């Protein structure tokens, strides 16, 4: 019976592809099917997407000059992470926050495009592979209720849901809460960003026991200064979590 169901699902999937051929998630042009649907980009959008490879800061995921070795080096730390203490251990990002990567993140975040979450989560799942540990808890950075009501969904939670499912990890979408509404971080200095978010995030008391001593993977859409991730990580550590890693769809970098 199970075999028959798999055959039927495969046939239905094939029929849907004939009716609705795969489209580039960046511009909507028809594209070849990549199998899992997570890399659907046309050639032009692909050229405008800067994926971050192994040559990246091991702490925050920012891209670094590639020495040609093709392997990640845990000693690679960017200047920002040398200057700013990070309360988490390791970090990864899927793309640079520019070009098509930026457009897709903004569409997911502000453009009412939750349908982008599975594909973007696939990108992040691959980028975060070195961080994954058995039993690690996956949790998104939360939105304040006021902002959640306006957007109708938390884009970080959509991505973390698909990532956790793909990696077979427990997912706690309500692990963290926003205790107060904060103004947007755009156009603020680094120090202002940290001051703006200070004390705004806390552990949901109903979930605290679930993360005591457990490794946690924090998921968000964009990292710029790292202030929001720092506030979230500090709240987790104060609640007794194990080591924390962070994974973001896009990393904002200088001179881009």
């Amino acid at each position: 019976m199970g075999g028959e169901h798999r055959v039927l699902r495969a046939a239905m999937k094939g029929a849907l592809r004939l009716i609705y051929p795969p489209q580039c998630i960046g511009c909507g042009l028809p594209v070849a099917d990549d199998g899992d649907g997570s890399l659907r980009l046309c050639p032009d959008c692909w050229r405008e997407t800067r994926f971050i490879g192994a040559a990246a800061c091991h702490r925050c995921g920012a891209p670094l000059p590639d020495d040609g070795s093709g392997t990640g080096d845990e000693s690679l730390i960017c200047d920002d992470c040398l200057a700013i203490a990070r309360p988490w251990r390791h970090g990864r990002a899927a793309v640079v926050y520019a070009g098509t990567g930026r457009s897709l993140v903004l569409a997911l975040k502000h453009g009412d495009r939750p349908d982008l979450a599975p594909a973007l989560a696939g990108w992040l799942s691959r980028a975060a592979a070195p961080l994954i540990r058995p039993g690690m808890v996956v949790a998104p950075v939360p939105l304040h209720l006021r902002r959640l009501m306006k957007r109708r969904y938390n884009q970080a939670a959509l991505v973390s849901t698909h990532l956790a499912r793909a990696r077979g990890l427990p997912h706690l979408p309500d692990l963290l809460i926003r205790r107060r509404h904060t103004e947007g971080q755009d156009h603020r200095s680094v120090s202002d960003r940290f001051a703006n978010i200070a004390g705004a995030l806390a552990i949901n008391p109903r979930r605290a026991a679930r993360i005591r001593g457990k490794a946690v993977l924090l998921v968000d859409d964009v990292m710029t200064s790292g202030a929001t991730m720092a506030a979230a990580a500090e709240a987790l550590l104060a609640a007794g979590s194990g080591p924390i890693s962070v994974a973001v769809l896009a990393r904002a970098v200088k001179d881009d």
Side-chain angles (χ1 to χ4, degrees):
M1 182 66 73
E4 292 176 359
H5 285 164
R6 283 192 293 271
V7 171
L8 180 59
R9 283 197 299 269
M12 292 177 65
K13 191 173 182 181
L16 286 172
R17 285 174 182 160
L18 290 174
I19 300 171
Y20 304 106
Q23 295 178 318
C24 172
I25 61 173
C27 68
L29 287 176
V31 294
D33 190 356
D34 71 349
D36 64 2
S38 63
L39 286 174
R40 297 201 316 267
L41 290 173
C42 70
D44 287 342
C45 289
W46 180 273
R47 282 191 292 271
E48 293 297 318
T49 306
R50 186 178 167 191
F51 288 93
I52 299 175
C57 174
H58 200 65
R59 196 67 51 77
C60 73
L64 295 174
D66 192 348
D67 62 3
S69 65
T71 59
D73 183 348
E74 293 198 9
S75 68
L76 290 176
I77 303 294
C78 71
D79 291 343
D80 285 348
C81 288
L82 288 174
I84 303 173
R86 306 294 195 189
W88 64 83
R89 287 191 179 181
H90 307 305
R92 287 290 186 276
V95 298
V96 170
Y97 189 57
T100 300
R102 180 177 184 273
S103 298
L104 289 171
V105 170
L106 289 176
L108 172 67
K109 188 172 184 174
H110 299 297
D112 198 22
R113 290 291 309 278
D115 58 290
L116 293 173
L120 298 182
W123 294 4
L124 188 55
S125 178
R126 277 185 285 271
L131 310 179
I132 304 301
R133 301 290 181 270
M136 170 181 266
V137 174
V138 179
V141 169
L143 290 179
H144 188 269
L145 182 59
R146 185 191 306 179
R147 192 158 286 151
L148 182 61
M149 291 178 67
K150 180 178 180 180
R151 292 187 191 166
R152 298 186 295 109
Y153 60 85
N154 177 359
Q155 70 280 355
L158 292 182
V159 172
S160 65
T161 296
H162 291 284
L163 188 153
R165 185 179 301 146
R167 293 291 174 177
L169 297 174
H171 184 232
L172 293 180
D174 60 346
L175 174 60
L176 288 156
I177 57 175
R178 292 251 181 183
R179 293 196 289 199
R180 61 179 175 83
H181 176 71
T182 56
E183 297 300 323
Q185 296 280 62
D186 293 345
H187 311 300
R188 293 177 181 269
S189 67
V190 172
S191 59
D192 283 347
R193 286 171 180 264
F194 278 86
N196 185 47
I197 198 69
L201 302 181
I203 295 294
N204 182 341
R206 294 180 299 168
R207 298 288 182 259
R210 297 280 302 275
I211 53 105
R212 291 195 184 108
K214 293 285 188 68
V216 177
L217 181 66
L218 273 174
V219 175
D220 205 0
D221 54 355
V222 182
M223 184 192 299
T224 303
S225 67
T228 301
M229 282 298 199
E234 287 165 356
L236 289 169
L237 292 172
S241 78
I244 298 163
S245 297
V246 301
V248 296
L249 281 175
R251 183 70 170 94
V253 299
K254 298 172 184 176
D255 302 321
D256 260 279

